[in-house]
Amino acid sequence: MRMTGSYPKSEVLEGPQRRRRWTVTEKLEMVAETNEPGSSVSLMARRHGVSPNQLFTWRRLAEQGALTATRAEEE
């Protein structure tokens, strides 16, 4: 199975922003994708441009019920 192709190699952040901010919904969607048959944390991390260890952390937090909205505009 070839892992290169249509996945983005990198993301260029413009302006004062240094980190990508993910909403709780986006995090939960990525975590859900790791549970689909044939997928893996590493594959989903590459697909979304996230570090695998970050995705593992989000998955652990979701399992504990601790991955919730922290800002007023998030549900």
Side-chain angles (χ1 to χ4, degrees):
M1 182 169 166
R2 189 172 172 188
M3 300 309 273
T4 60
S6 62
Y7 303 123
K9 301 254 186 244
S10 63
E11 180 179 354
V12 176
L13 300 175
E14 306 256 341
Q17 181 180 354
R18 300 255 186 240
R19 295 181 183 186
R20 172 71 165 92
R21 301 285 182 193
W22 301 98
T23 65
V24 173
T25 304
E26 290 171 323
K27 292 175 187 178
L28 291 172
E29 287 173 1
M30 285 185 251
V31 167
E33 288 179 26
T34 65
N35 296 323
E36 293 178 4
S39 72
S40 69
V41 172
S42 295
L43 178 62
M44 291 302 108
R46 260 182 264 135
R47 182 173 290 166
H48 294 287
V50 177
S51 169
N53 63 342
Q54 183 67 68
L55 195 48
F56 273 113
T57 299
W58 291 342
R59 190 166 76 165
R60 187 184 77 247
L61 290 172
E63 289 171 359
Q64 295 172 354
L67 191 59
T68 59
T70 58
R71 292 177 24 194
E73 65 267 10
E74 295 180 48
E75 296 179 9

